[in-house]
Each structure stands twice: as structure tokens, then as C-alpha cells.
Amino acid sequence: MSRVSTIHPELVPVPVPDAVAVLIGSQIPERVLRAEVEATNQAFNVGLCRSSRFAEAREYALGDLARANKVLAAYDPRLVVTPKAVAR
């Protein structure tokens, strides 16, 4: 894995220390953090339900994803999660 940034060849990515991540997370309301986890999980579940046999499960996952995205978009529209945005 290259340590060179794709944005600028001289920039080296620096990991965010845990204390900084905790500080950033403490500034976001708990309901938004819960919605982010829910949206990420449901987006992953939508990806699992590609077959027509799982159409009903996919629809439930999309409904839960939409509900979580509503909370995220109210806080910051850039936080919205799409099913194709999650890759594990």
C-alpha cells in the first residue's frame, strides 16, 4: 500500500489519534451517531439482499435506511448514506 496521497504526491496521510476522534464524536448528538450506525448497517444489508428471493427484506432495509438518512440529512446533508457507498 502506497503511503503517498492521491491528491498531492508529497502529502502523506496521517492517522487521526483516538483522542481527536473521541473529541469529534462528542460534538455530534447521540441520535445522529445512532442514525449513522443504523444507516451504514442497513446499506450493507441492502447489498446482501440482491436476489429476488429477498425482495421483502431489501424493502425493509431500504425503509430503515431512509429513516436513518432523514435524521442524518437534518443534521448535515453530506452525511447521507447510499446503499452503494458501503463496501466491506
Side-chain angles (χ1 to χ4, degrees), residues 21-32:
V22 169
L23 180 64
I24 292 169
S26 68
Q27 304 300 315
I28 299 175
E30 186 67 30
R31 64 184 167 74
V32 175

Side-chain angles (χ1 to χ4, degrees), residues 24-79:
I24 292 169
S26 68
Q27 304 300 315
I28 299 175
E30 186 67 30
R31 64 184 167 74
V32 175
L33 294 175
R34 282 194 310 267
E36 182 181 20
V37 169
E38 180 69 17
T40 304
N41 289 339
Q42 294 306 326
F44 179 70
N45 289 342
V46 168
L48 293 177
C49 302
R50 288 185 220 127
S51 172
S52 60
R53 294 186 312 173
F54 304 114
E56 187 176 354
R58 183 178 55 245
E59 293 302 320
Y60 279 114
L62 285 171
D64 291 341
L65 175 62
R67 195 173 305 111
N69 274 337
K70 186 175 181 181
V71 173
L72 292 173
Y75 184 73
D76 186 348
R78 295 173 296 175
L79 295 176

